[in-house]
Amino acid sequence: MATENKKALVYSILEFLQKSCEDGTITEDDSEGIEVAMQCIGEAFGVDINNDTQKQAYSTKPATLLSIFDVYLRTKKNSAKVFYHLLILLTSVSAEDKQQAESKKAMGNRKVAERNYPEAIKLYTEAIELDGNNAVYYANRAAAYSQQSDHEKAVADAKKATEIDPKYSKAYSRMGHAYFCLNKYSEAVDAYEKALELDPNNVTVQNSLATAKSKISSSSSVDRSVDTPPTGGLPNLGGAGGGMPDLGSLLNNPNIMNMAQQMMQSGALDNLMSNPDVARMAQQMMGGGGVPNLQDMMSNPDMMRM
């Protein structure tokens, strides 16, 4: 059973349809169909616009359904305007706050120049608190975070800067740098490419992009060399078919470079150079005696213990 509120609504609808038939809004040809529909709707909800009791109970006159709807539309439109102006008011930054924020940024820049990154981050944060709609403050703080190796926070700040100003190229370049330092080279490439779209002549970003792409290529090369079984000779050193690799290949081989870094860090290189056999090999090379047999070097017990 329909509630009283629903009956009142149906009564207003029926009044509206009846008025539309009478004032010519609905053509004479269509009026017959509307009258049948009105009868069906009235019976379904138990409403009769010719009933005086229901007229007193449900009629909204002098207001009509159309006038009530017009009021609703105006109210909705005005409410949107009020909300918009309120939002602008809440998010607007006073001239004084903007000036103070710029001062904090300038102080932060000086701290970066002094390599006092924690203090720079503190000052950039204060600038953001005063004016959170400035992409430069987030991008500068991202750079300071990267300088102290806090690259995850640098990525977050750079992303926030791009949300505020999608056309701020430095935000993307600093995002690329942070991703690169996190060894996320594909993400770094994407960020650097976006930065170049906005600033095509930036040589620094061009070089950074090339470096990130080379990292992806070298990583793929290392993966292939690890997965491919050796066909003779020393594994993963570049020699083919058991032959001796050239010195250039050795220096460009990432496995050799990683081993050299580990030797220097662990002190193994000092121990190796104190070995008489290794010293003799080094003297042979410096004296023009040619490159010593690499197989003999790798079978040396001191080399095997490294």
Side-chain angles (χ1 to χ4, degrees), residues 257-270:
M257 298 306 294
N258 288 336
M259 183 178 73
Q261 291 176 358
Q262 292 172 4
M263 289 170 62
M264 287 187 290
Q265 293 172 358
S266 66
L269 186 61
D270 294 337

Side-chain angles (χ1 to χ4, degrees), residues 76-302:
K76 180 181 178 182
K77 185 177 180 180
N78 291 333
S79 296
K81 286 183 178 179
V82 169
F83 177 76
Y84 173 76
H85 289 299
L86 180 61
L87 184 63
I88 294 296
L89 181 63
L90 292 174
T91 57
S92 63
V93 181
S94 68
E96 182 181 356
D97 284 346
K98 285 187 176 182
Q99 185 177 1
Q100 289 184 14
E102 281 296 303
S103 177
K104 296 287 185 182
K105 183 200 76 172
M107 293 167 62
N109 291 348
R110 287 196 292 271
K111 292 301 178 182
V112 168
E114 297 169 5
R115 299 188 178 182
N116 187 348
Y117 304 119
E119 186 63 22
I121 290 169
K122 176 177 175 291
L123 288 164
Y124 290 140
T125 301
E126 291 175 0
I128 289 169
E129 290 172 352
L130 290 165
D131 183 3
N133 297 319
N134 194 315
V136 174
Y137 303 157
Y138 284 98
N140 284 13
R141 192 171 69 174
Y145 275 133
S146 279
Q147 289 292 342
Q148 63 176 28
S149 300
D150 201 344
H151 303 300
E152 294 286 358
K153 288 184 178 179
V155 169
D157 266 3
K159 285 183 176 179
K160 180 64 177 178
T162 62
E163 290 173 6
I164 295 172
D165 185 0
K167 296 187 181 298
Y168 186 41
S169 62
K170 280 188 178 180
Y172 293 101
S173 64
R174 285 167 183 173
M175 187 190 305
H177 174 73
Y179 273 133
F180 184 91
C181 294
L182 291 168
N183 298 327
K184 296 181 178 181
Y185 303 122
S186 295
E187 291 87 342
V189 166
D190 291 341
Y192 284 137
E193 286 179 341
K194 183 62 178 178
L196 279 180
E197 287 180 17
L198 299 167
D199 188 7
N201 299 320
N202 192 312
V203 177
T204 301
V205 178
Q206 291 173 0
N207 293 336
S208 298
L209 175 60
T211 303
K213 286 183 175 180
S214 70
K215 283 289 186 179
I216 295 175
S217 299
S218 63
S219 297
S220 300
S221 299
V222 170
D223 290 341
R224 286 196 296 271
S225 67
V226 171
D227 294 338
T228 304
T231 57
L234 294 175
N236 296 329
L237 293 181
M244 180 62 64
D246 62 88
L247 187 58
S249 297
L250 288 175
L251 293 177
N252 287 324
N253 189 294
N255 294 329
I256 292 296
M257 298 306 294
N258 288 336
M259 183 178 73
Q261 291 176 358
Q262 292 172 4
M263 289 170 62
M264 287 187 290
Q265 293 172 358
S266 66
L269 186 61
D270 294 337
N271 296 333
L272 179 64
M273 295 308 295
S274 65
N275 185 285
D277 293 332
V278 175
R280 185 176 65 255
M281 292 177 187
Q283 291 174 357
Q284 176 185 344
M285 293 176 65
M286 290 186 291
V291 179
N293 188 294
L294 194 57
Q295 294 280 11
D296 292 342
M297 290 178 63
M298 298 306 294
S299 62
N300 185 292
D302 292 298

Side-chain angles (χ1 to χ4, degrees), residues 21 31 35 213 270 272 306:
C21 290
S31 294
E35 290 171 356
K213 286 183 175 180
D270 294 337
L272 179 64
M306 288 191 301

